[in-house]
Amino acid sequence: MPLNADSQALVDRMRSSPPIHELGVEAARQISAHTKSAPGPEVGSVEDRNIPSVDGEVAVRVYTPVGEGPFPALVVIHGGGFVMGSVNTLDGHARRHCDRLGCVVVSVDYRLAPEAKFPLPLEDCYAAVKWVAEQAEELGVDATRIAITGESTGGNLAAATALLARDRSGPNLVGQVLVVPLLDRNYETASWKDYSQYPPFPETMEWFWEQYLHPDDDATSPYVVPLRSDDLTGLPPTLVITAEADPLRDDGERYAERLAEAGVDVQSTRYDGVAHMFYLMAGILQRGDEAFDLAQATLEAMFGQPR
């Protein structure tokens, strides 16, 4: 199926721009600062906080709905190749989650590579989940109803955080929503071969990995590439959202298959006619709206099932 007109225009615009890996870190960050989800509604309150993490602190943005808690909580992790992005990237999505689901949203402004290489960004995301559980009373949160979601490299960090939470005996998560997630470092899948001319481009993706990892890091660690984990048992219910014309598509769908083989309650949904960034464009692209609505409905069901 060809891309729909809106997605094709987005891909054409990206192809006509200088590749991110040729721009360098600072220029890439300046450009990415303008890439963000559509504005969201007003919510009860929004507060920026700094919380403890490994070797320092991590910034989080806390969105609280109108009403009285305890509320379920959703930890949100933005994408950007480990190098770019901030809590502003998904501010609109975070607001919509908070408003529609009536949940506290904690968006993680994890430290970026190359200044902060693996595992620091991952430890920041885990620190946020742990903080939500430990400070549940202060935050007005029900600690038995915490979920996590991430898009693109944020999906990588979300999946790896869920693995960490399992391996470190908590906090327990009621679900994870992984959107066009980066789950392996493998360019031999059919989707990479068929869509290598679509974002994220292979040269750019390899540059992202080089920024994120130290030369001596184990690039096959499940906390780096969750798809290569030998053990996916005990993970929370999962929704994986993929895009047809996305090089990362096959890895996301294979992860869903492996989760199902491990006995995890999992749903995998592919959206045809769209490329990698379609979910970020919810509020602008119809298919993005459809995927966002699915994520909302799935999270609502997850919040109804405390572990």
Side-chain angles (χ1 to χ4, degrees), residues 161-307:
T161 299
L163 285 166
L164 270 184
R166 180 201 64 183
D167 296 345
R168 294 179 179 177
S169 301
N172 288 330
L173 299 173
V174 297
Q176 59 177 341
V177 175
L178 310 178
V179 183
V180 293
L182 171 66
L183 298 170
D184 203 355
R185 191 178 181 180
N186 171 21
Y187 306 105
E188 298 303 317
T189 63
S191 59
W192 265 111
K193 293 177 179 179
D194 292 343
Y195 298 107
S196 62
Q197 298 305 308
Y198 290 71
F201 309 109
E203 297 86 357
T204 297
M205 182 55 64
E206 193 58 25
W207 182 76
F208 286 148
W209 282 119
E210 290 169 359
Q211 307 312 302
Y212 183 50
L213 298 176
H214 296 92
D216 57 349
D217 282 335
D218 178 6
T220 66
S221 163
Y223 304 129
V224 173
V225 282
L227 183 57
R228 300 197 191 188
S229 174
D230 293 331
D231 179 14
L232 296 178
T233 61
L235 290 170
T238 302
L239 169 65
V240 179
I241 291 175
T242 60
E244 178 189 19
D246 182 358
L248 308 185
R249 182 196 70 200
D250 288 356
D251 289 337
E253 294 175 358
R254 178 57 185 147
Y255 195 64
E257 292 172 357
R258 291 206 51 224
L259 287 170
E261 292 166 0
V264 175
D265 180 6
V266 61
Q267 176 183 354
S268 179
T269 301
R270 178 195 295 184
Y271 286 84
D272 291 334
V274 291
H276 180 70
M277 292 182 65
F278 86 107
Y279 183 86
L280 183 62
M281 298 294 108
I284 301 171
L285 300 183
Q286 179 182 350
R287 298 295 272 168
D289 289 340
E290 293 170 6
F292 192 81
D293 288 344
L294 174 63
Q296 292 273 49
T298 304
L299 285 164
E300 185 174 33
M302 290 171 173
F303 286 145
Q305 300 295 326
R307 297 185 85 197

Side-chain angles (χ1 to χ4, degrees), residues 6-26:
D6 289 334
S7 291
Q8 187 64 59
L10 178 63
V11 169
D12 290 344
R13 189 159 61 248
M14 294 186 71
R15 284 174 176 165
S16 65
S17 302
I20 288 174
H21 63 278
E22 293 182 3
L23 292 174
V25 171
E26 291 307 318

Side-chain angles (χ1 to χ4, degrees), residues 50-240:
N50 289 311
I51 66 172
S53 185
V54 172
D55 293 337
E57 291 183 327
V58 57
V60 297
R61 181 169 292 171
V62 181
Y63 303 79
T64 303
V66 174
E68 294 186 9
F71 304 104
L74 178 65
V75 176
V76 172
I77 306 176
H78 68 81
F82 308 112
V83 173
M84 308 174 297
S86 71
V87 291
N88 295 323
T89 305
L90 294 180
D91 180 76
H93 281 10
R95 290 174 178 273
R96 281 184 283 277
H97 283 310
C98 179
D99 180 61
R100 294 189 200 175
L101 293 172
C103 68
V104 169
V105 174
V106 176
S107 186
V108 188
D109 213 4
Y110 56 88
R111 289 168 286 181
L112 298 174
E115 296 89 344
K117 290 181 177 288
F118 174 83
L120 289 180
L122 174 59
E123 291 289 357
D124 287 349
C125 297
Y126 177 73
V129 170
K130 189 176 179 183
W131 178 76
V132 171
E134 292 176 347
Q135 303 301 319
E137 185 174 355
E138 176 202 345
L139 296 170
V141 162
D142 177 354
T144 69
R145 293 191 294 161
I146 301 172
I148 192 168
T149 184
E151 184 251 359
S152 190
T153 44
N156 172 287
L157 292 167
T161 299
L163 285 166
L164 270 184
R166 180 201 64 183
D167 296 345
R168 294 179 179 177
S169 301
N172 288 330
L173 299 173
V174 297
Q176 59 177 341
V177 175
L178 310 178
V179 183
V180 293
L182 171 66
L183 298 170
D184 203 355
R185 191 178 181 180
N186 171 21
Y187 306 105
E188 298 303 317
T189 63
S191 59
W192 265 111
K193 293 177 179 179
D194 292 343
Y195 298 107
S196 62
Q197 298 305 308
Y198 290 71
F201 309 109
E203 297 86 357
T204 297
M205 182 55 64
E206 193 58 25
W207 182 76
F208 286 148
W209 282 119
E210 290 169 359
Q211 307 312 302
Y212 183 50
L213 298 176
H214 296 92
D216 57 349
D217 282 335
D218 178 6
T220 66
S221 163
Y223 304 129
V224 173
V225 282
L227 183 57
R228 300 197 191 188
S229 174
D230 293 331
D231 179 14
L232 296 178
T233 61
L235 290 170
T238 302
L239 169 65
V240 179

